[in-house]
Amino acid sequence: MVGVVVIKWGGGLITDKEKMCTADLQILKGLATVAANSSKQLVIVHGAGSFGHLKCKKYQIGTKSEHQKEGAAEVQEDMILLNNEVMRALKMAGVDAKVYHPHTWASGSGPNFEGELPFYSTGVTVVHGDVVPSKETDFTILSGDDLVVRYALEIPNVERLVFAVSGVDGLLTAPPTSDSSKLITTWSSDQPFVSSHDTNIDVTGGIYLKAKRGSLVADRDIDVLLVRGENLERVHAAIHGKDVIGTRIVRKPSKATIATENPFTR
């Protein structure tokens, strides 16, 4: 039986997050080619980037803002536009893929959001970050980083979770612009790291959330890797469980002593 790999294509990787609704078609073409050449059954979860974050912040999605309904509809439409580019790239690469837009089947936010996970058993499943219904605030943001947790833990035969991130090789000991910055090759949730997160653009937590959600999966003994998404060879290697430059998230030691309530350094 073919193993399943859940892979997150970060929104910052596949879009220009500083330009509204601008996809990086070259990156999408490359990632789609990697998917086409994979021997694993893939679940692709893609982020929103400039197709979601900026408008979610503008309309204050998740806060009962009076403009939420208008904003939710706009973001959902924009995410469909981005997904169209994703699906077009996959089709051009010869990948049999089917998309399931979360606003049609999911509600709530966080890793315990509600909704039965759709799964394309004979091809590649594609889902994405989205604005979905919420009992508390009418609408809320469902991050792709929350989607990957449930897919990794609930779909049978999942071998690993891969985060293809933008601009860095993985988790770092210092900001990427610092001369002292070093790659953390193995990380667990009792260890610190430095997260460079632009709250003016990203409304879902950036690499901090990826590490936090990845640790939930790693604690269930499923391989979790963060790799530089621009490097297609690394993405391919990570999917197939080969040695690769990046960060491997592992189970937190059972007897570890955590010095602070939040071990992350932001």
Side-chain angles (χ1 to χ4, degrees), residues 145-162:
D145 296 332
D146 290 322
L147 285 159
V148 299
V149 173
R150 284 195 55 196
Y151 269 98
L153 297 182
E154 297 180 26
I155 296 297
N157 304 313
V158 171
E159 294 181 353
R160 64 189 55 85
L161 165 62
V162 176

Side-chain angles (χ1 to χ4, degrees), residues 116-245:
E116 184 176 350
L117 299 181
F119 181 68
Y120 186 28
S121 61
T122 59
V124 172
T125 302
V126 180
V127 295
H128 55 79
D130 208 351
V131 172
V132 301
S134 167
K135 295 177 182 177
E136 292 77 21
T137 57
D138 297 329
F139 297 97
T140 191
I141 302 166
L142 177 56
S143 171
D145 296 332
D146 290 322
L147 285 159
V148 299
V149 173
R150 284 195 55 196
Y151 269 98
L153 297 182
E154 297 180 26
I155 296 297
N157 304 313
V158 171
E159 294 181 353
R160 64 189 55 85
L161 165 62
V162 176
F163 290 95
V165 298
S166 174
V168 292
D169 291 329
L171 302 183
L172 304 173
T173 59
T177 55
S178 171
D179 292 338
S180 64
S181 178
K182 294 181 180 180
L183 175 67
I184 301 171
T185 57
T186 303
W187 180 84
S188 61
S189 60
D190 61 324
Q191 298 173 313
F193 76 96
V194 171
S195 169
S196 179
H197 175 214
D198 189 345
T199 57
N200 291 321
I201 298 173
D202 195 324
V203 294
T204 58
I207 202 167
Y208 170 81
L209 185 64
K210 290 170 178 56
K212 190 174 181 180
R213 296 295 186 254
S215 67
L216 296 178
V217 176
D219 284 347
R220 299 280 289 273
D221 293 323
I222 295 174
D223 285 344
V224 181
L225 292 163
L226 283 90
V227 296
R228 183 184 289 266
E230 295 93 345
N231 190 312
L232 300 178
E233 291 183 358
R234 293 183 191 175
V235 176
H236 184 272
I239 289 172
H240 294 88
K242 298 179 180 179
D243 290 338
V244 63
I245 295 172

Side-chain angles (χ1 to χ4, degrees), residues 19 40 48 54 60 83 118 135 138 154 191 219 246 249 264:
K19 295 181 180 179
K40 304 297 182 180
L54 298 175
Q60 298 178 300
N83 180 258
K135 295 177 182 177
D138 297 329
E154 297 180 26
Q191 298 173 313
D219 284 347
I249 298 178
F264 298 87

Side-chain angles (χ1 to χ4, degrees), residues 67-147:
H67 301 296
Q68 266 206 127
K69 188 174 183 179
E70 174 190 358
E74 283 194 27
V75 174
Q76 289 167 354
E77 290 174 2
D78 287 349
M79 286 308 302
I80 290 173
L81 291 176
L82 174 57
N83 180 258
N84 286 343
E85 297 293 350
V86 170
M87 300 304 289
R88 184 177 295 111
L90 290 169
K91 183 177 180 179
M92 291 294 291
V95 177
D96 178 21
K98 185 177 290 187
V99 62
Y100 304 92
H101 302 293
H103 66 262
T104 66
W105 58 269
S107 63
S109 60
N112 298 315
F113 69 91
E114 297 180 357
E116 184 176 350
L117 299 181
F119 181 68
Y120 186 28
S121 61
T122 59
V124 172
T125 302
V126 180
V127 295
H128 55 79
D130 208 351
V131 172
V132 301
S134 167
K135 295 177 182 177
E136 292 77 21
T137 57
D138 297 329
F139 297 97
T140 191
I141 302 166
L142 177 56
S143 171
D145 296 332
D146 290 322
L147 285 159

